[in-house]
Amino acid sequence: MGGAVSAGEDNDELIDNLKEAQYIRTELVEQAFRAIDRADYYLEEFKDNAYKDLAWKHGNIHLSAPCIYSEVMEALDLQPGLSFLNLGSGTGYLSSMVGLILGPFGVNHGVELHSDVIEYAKQKLDFFIKTSDSFDKFEFCEPSFVTGNCLEISPDCTQYDRVYCGAGVQKEHEDYMKNLLKVGGILVMPLEEKLTKITRTGPSAWETKKILAVSFAPLIQPNHADSGKSRLVHLPPVAVRSLQDLARIAIRGTIKKIIHQETMSKNGNGLKNPPRFKRRRVRRRRMETIVFLDKEVFASRISNPSDDNNCEELEDERREEEETKPSELKPDPPVNFLREKVLSLPLPDPLKYYLLYYREK
């Protein structure tokens, strides 16, 4: 599934293509997609395909195509503070993007059938938290993953504001999925070969919208052959944040506001002159004409007399352009202003590192 948009050279170009094709339509979704590099969730030997609009599968590890994730994120209509349940959470790529939008007071849970994929997702989550500068641009709702079959969730589990299922749902399981939702909640899932959005408008009232045709592997049915008993999946409890954690969130938020105010003041209320680049020198190129005649190829070159006299000069100029172009157009490396500000505070080092979530950079 996928192939709806052109491949990108990097994550930003992929997002540009998804925006142009109207798969990404809102600013919150765009910010989340740009903040997390899709390639980080690929195995090293497959990263060349990370920015193609294609699904990827290796063993039990699976990623849907970017156009599918875009439609899912838009359909979920995510807002800060909501609760989210990801059924078939896989690599954690989608759950991490959702966590950037939910913020520190949301709930972000995932259920995954394969324990090896859970370990892979935890590694990728740890890598994102420790190394990505995007982590400091948001207040993150860290996902929690549990192993089990999503068709065996304990009936006493809490209901969620938003639910996504990443495998094909049979009609017989539609009501089971709906009952995971709070009133006013949104469920997105592949149902009968259509990506479907279901909104719970009342205790027994629903609105259904078909988004697009899709092809997903079906949900794996529970297997009770070994014990004959159902293995109930118990979702993580909704944890109450400690006072210490709430203080960290508040301090980081205050520092971000100060940084924003300082930036606005320096740039004159945000009006900033666009960066100026040195204009490339334009030089005349010799034109070559190729003539096909009776399966023979004749090539002629049209040039000014001065061209032939200055071939060496032109070659030197070309080399000079190639040497200077990267330095002229290369943007400044991004600066993590929050980290710099925290490290400059007159605080004990342990407190600074706590405010930075003990991140490596």
Side-chain angles (χ1 to χ4, degrees):
M1 193 66 205
V5 302
S6 301
E9 291 292 327
D10 55 26
N11 196 65
D12 278 330
E13 189 171 323
L14 173 63
I15 308 313
D16 290 341
N17 295 339
L18 291 167
K19 279 189 65 182
E20 185 177 354
Q22 289 295 299
Y23 284 100
I24 293 178
R25 300 179 289 277
T26 58
E27 185 177 353
L28 275 178
V29 172
E30 179 187 350
Q31 289 174 351
F33 267 87
R34 291 196 188 278
I36 298 184
D37 195 321
R38 181 176 167 89
D40 289 342
Y41 290 78
Y42 274 67
L43 292 169
E44 193 65 36
E45 59 267 35
F46 298 104
K47 285 190 175 182
D48 287 346
N49 295 320
Y51 306 122
K52 296 177 182 177
D53 187 32
L54 297 172
W56 171 65
K57 182 173 175 59
H58 181 77
N60 292 326
I61 302 170
H62 175 263
L63 279 168
S64 293
C67 68
I68 300 297
Y69 282 135
S70 303
E71 287 287 6
V72 169
M73 291 280 285
E74 293 287 357
L76 286 170
D77 189 21
L78 297 161
Q79 303 294 331
L82 295 181
S83 57
F84 172 67
L85 177 62
N86 189 354
L87 304 175
S89 51
T91 65
Y93 172 64
L94 178 68
S95 292
S96 292
M97 287 195 293
V98 169
L100 297 176
I101 298 177
L102 297 182
F105 304 113
V107 175
N108 193 355
H109 293 163
V111 179
E112 170 56 44
L113 182 63
H114 303 288
S115 58
D116 59 325
V117 179
I118 290 275
E119 289 306 311
Y120 185 85
K122 289 179 178 178
Q123 290 171 15
K124 295 303 179 183
L125 175 62
D126 187 58
F127 178 81
F128 169 72
I129 292 174
K130 287 184 176 179
T131 67
S132 175
D133 279 338
S134 294
F135 181 83
D136 282 333
K137 296 176 183 176
F138 300 81
E139 289 303 324
F140 187 48
C141 181
E142 185 174 335
S144 298
F145 305 113
V146 296
T147 306
N149 190 307
C150 66
L151 293 175
E152 296 184 298
I153 293 175
S154 175
D156 61 355
C157 79
T158 184
Q159 293 177 315
Y160 290 79
D161 297 302
R162 301 291 187 268
V163 178
Y164 171 65
C165 181
V169 178
Q170 293 84 356
K171 191 69 178 176
E172 63 193 88
H173 296 128
E174 181 180 356
D175 288 341
Y176 170 89
M177 294 292 177
K178 287 178 176 179
N179 287 327
L180 296 171
L181 273 184
K182 295 179 180 179
V183 173
I186 295 173
L187 164 66
V188 178
M189 62 181 177
L191 181 65
E192 297 184 313
E193 302 297 311
K194 295 285 193 300
L195 188 65
T196 304
K197 175 180 178 178
I198 299 175
T199 304
R200 188 169 193 171
T201 57
S204 56
W206 316 85
E207 288 182 358
T208 301
K209 177 183 177 183
K210 304 293 185 183
I211 301 173
L212 78 163
V214 292
S215 177
F216 277 66
L219 281 172
I220 296 176
Q221 302 300 307
N223 182 3
H224 304 149
D226 295 337
S227 63
K229 296 181 180 179
S230 175
R231 300 173 182 173
L232 290 181
V233 175
H234 296 279
L235 295 171
V238 177
V240 177
R241 289 186 178 271
S242 67
L243 183 59
Q244 184 177 2
D245 197 17
L246 292 172
R248 172 166 60 182
I249 293 167
I251 292 170
R252 284 168 62 93
T254 301
I255 294 173
K256 286 180 181 180
K257 288 180 182 178
I258 292 171
I259 292 170
H260 178 70
Q261 291 169 357
E262 290 176 348
T263 303
M264 294 285 283
S265 177
K266 287 180 182 177
N267 297 334
N269 294 325
L271 298 176
K272 187 177 180 180
N273 293 329
R276 299 178 64 184
F277 298 108
K278 184 178 177 182
R279 180 179 295 179
R280 288 187 61 191
R281 287 180 292 175
V282 179
R283 59 182 176 82
R284 296 184 182 275
R285 297 183 182 273
R286 290 168 292 183
M287 182 172 64
E288 293 184 350
T289 303
I290 301 177
V291 181
F292 296 87
L293 183 63
D294 293 334
K295 298 182 181 181
E296 298 289 337
V297 181
F298 296 86
S300 65
R301 186 178 68 198
I302 300 174
S303 60
N304 293 324
S306 59
D307 286 338
D308 293 327
N309 295 334
N310 296 317
C311 285
E312 291 185 3
E313 286 184 22
L314 289 170
E315 186 63 25
D316 291 341
E317 186 178 346
R318 183 188 65 79
R319 280 198 297 267
E320 183 183 343
E321 284 184 1
E322 290 179 352
E323 290 172 359
T324 57
K325 182 180 176 182
S327 61
E328 292 169 2
L329 301 180
K330 186 176 180 180
D332 294 332
V335 178
N336 188 329
F337 292 106
L338 177 66
R339 184 178 183 85
E340 287 192 350
K341 181 69 76 173
V342 169
L343 292 176
S344 69
L345 294 174
L347 298 172
D349 284 347
L351 181 53
K352 291 180 184 179
Y353 297 138
Y354 177 75
L355 290 173
L356 295 172
Y357 287 88
Y358 305 101
R359 299 179 67 241
E360 295 174 358
K361 72 169 189 176

